[in-house]
Amino acid sequence: MKPTPADWQGIQSAAEALRAGKLVVMPTETVYGLAADALNEEAVRAIFRAKGRPENNPLIVHACGLEDVRTVVGHWPHELSTLAERFWPGPLTVVLPKASLVPELVTGGLPTIAVRVPDHPVALALIRAAGRPLAAPSANLFSRVSPTRASDVDPEIARHAALILEGGACQVGLESTVLDLSEGEPRVLRPGAVSRAMLQAALGRPLVGGPPPVGHRSPGLYPRHYSPRTPLALVDTLVEQQPGLTFGVAAGPHQLTMPSDPVRYGAELYAALAHYDRLGLERLYVESPPDEPAWEAVLDRLKRAVG
Ligand code: TXA
Ligand code: MG
């Protein structure tokens, strides 16, 4: 499916499709999302079907402003105001008690809801035009790599959508940071561009460290998740002729030099993996980035891609 230009007409058509209960692929600053009216249970069910995603995996709800957020959360802790002021619109998702108005299917039966205000003009215009919050997981098949360009959206996903809105290359390139604020102590459930250090500085108190307790349901935490079709191995240094991602000078025909800056690396990673998936190589090698806090989100995705 050819992406639709995100001009006024394109946004109106997409908003109309959403109000009619259809799905739309929308750009955000992190990755492209497969969006539906968050308050329409049948529309939301279509997301799970399109992705092949189990229905107990909760979705992120996207709002265009704080008034919108207020309608879907059941409780507004003062720390949410601090975080919103500092990070919204932006790549931070906050988990809070949910409002009863939101169908249970959106939250996978959980009493909490994940919500964020995306920092992309097309996403914000679309949510505003649709006049309702949008539930949107990344627009990939369950457990595959998230698309960061309209052209990387899998046809298997696209055929379930009324249209794909063209929004250019995603600036951030990795899924949002997920912060759980529903249990008193703030806890990062998924690392992203908004780092632990940034959150800690904004909140003025430490975050709970380590993995969430056993039984905590958060699908992004599946050990194997962001997997390219091509099996991937982490190595210290690529040897010549090994296809993959290097920090050095690309040697073989299928070697790609990646940025040494973690933010820029994150912005390019998924597009690179999508490129290799199209080549259909037997195996892909990726040089391990340094094990440092600035690389946490990138390392998290690479480790899950290895499984
Ligand atoms: O950047 C993003 O967040 C992208 C764009 C489209 O906004 N969306 C995205 O959605 O990555 P998805 O469905 O691929 O990932 C949703 C993540 C899950 O990994 C899960 O950890 C978390 O959000 N989540 C959603 N609802 C939750 C809840 N009630 N409690 C805990 N975690 C939740
Ligand atoms: Mg996803």
Side-chain angles (χ1 to χ4, degrees):
M1 181 195 298
K2 225 174 122 236
T4 303
D7 51 15
W8 189 85
Q9 186 57 52
I11 301 271
Q12 295 312 312
S13 310
E16 226 165 85
L18 288 166
R19 282 195 299 268
K22 294 179 188 154
L23 307 184
V24 165
V25 176
M26 71 164 176
T28 82
E29 82 282 30
T30 58
V31 300
Y32 277 73
L34 181 63
D37 175 355
L39 306 181
N40 178 338
E41 185 166 353
E42 275 320 298
V44 171
R45 200 177 301 283
I47 292 180
F48 288 95
R49 259 191 248 121
K51 282 185 60 105
R53 173 165 170 145
E55 287 194 1
N56 61 0
N57 284 4
L59 305 176
I60 293 174
V61 170
H62 298 69
C64 64
L66 296 192
E67 264 158 62
D68 241 19
V69 173
R70 235 173 252 286
T71 63
V72 296
V73 304
H75 174 60
W76 189 286
H78 70 94
E79 285 185 321
L80 181 59
S81 303
T82 310
L83 294 172
E85 168 89 11
R86 174 76 182 75
F87 300 113
W88 281 348
L92 175 68
T93 295
V94 182
V95 175
L96 292 161
K98 93 184 232 323
S100 52
L101 159 95
V102 181
E104 294 241 315
L105 186 61
V106 172
T107 62
L110 293 174
T112 54
I113 185 165
V115 61
R116 82 180 189 99
V117 180
D119 187 15
H120 195 295
V122 174
L124 292 173
L126 180 61
I127 301 166
R128 206 164 290 129
R132 57 208 70 192
L134 302 179
S138 46
N140 53 289
L141 292 169
F142 181 59
S143 90
R144 293 296 176 196
V145 174
S146 306
T148 53
R149 298 156 194 234
S151 54
D152 287 343
V153 175
D154 194 315
E156 276 302 301
I157 289 288
R159 71 187 179 88
H160 293 275
L163 56 90
I164 299 175
L165 276 181
E166 178 58 69
C170 301
Q171 298 273 309
V172 174
L174 298 178
E175 301 85 352
S176 61
T177 304
V178 179
L179 178 74
D180 189 353
L181 262 195
S182 71
E183 291 184 333
E185 302 287 276
R187 181 196 297 273
V188 171
L189 299 178
R190 180 174 72 185
V194 175
S195 68
R196 263 172 224 280
M198 289 158 77
L199 289 168
Q200 235 150 258
L203 293 172
R205 62 167 171 152
L207 307 170
V208 188
V214 179
H216 197 295
R217 286 205 288 155
S218 210
L221 300 169
Y222 288 159
R224 192 179 166 82
H225 194 78
Y226 305 93
S227 319
R229 288 177 201 277
T230 319
L232 186 153
L234 282 174
V235 295
D236 285 338
T237 314
L238 283 195
V239 296
E240 219 173 313
Q241 302 309 324
Q242 271 180 336
L245 308 180
T246 177
F247 287 106
V249 178
H254 294 314
Q255 291 191 358
L256 207 65
T257 301
M258 292 296 282
S260 53
D261 168 67
V263 173
R264 289 183 44 224
Y265 190 109
E268 290 180 22
L269 177 62
Y270 287 167
L273 295 181
H275 162 76
Y276 282 108
D277 272 352
R278 280 190 291 267
L279 290 181
L281 302 173
E282 218 159 272
R283 185 172 283 278
L284 185 68
Y285 300 85
V286 177
E287 286 181 3
S288 293
D291 193 2
E292 292 166 7
W295 286 91
E296 186 183 3
V298 167
L299 270 170
D300 171 76
R301 303 311 192 277
L302 285 175
K303 284 178 184 161
R304 286 178 208 286
V306 172

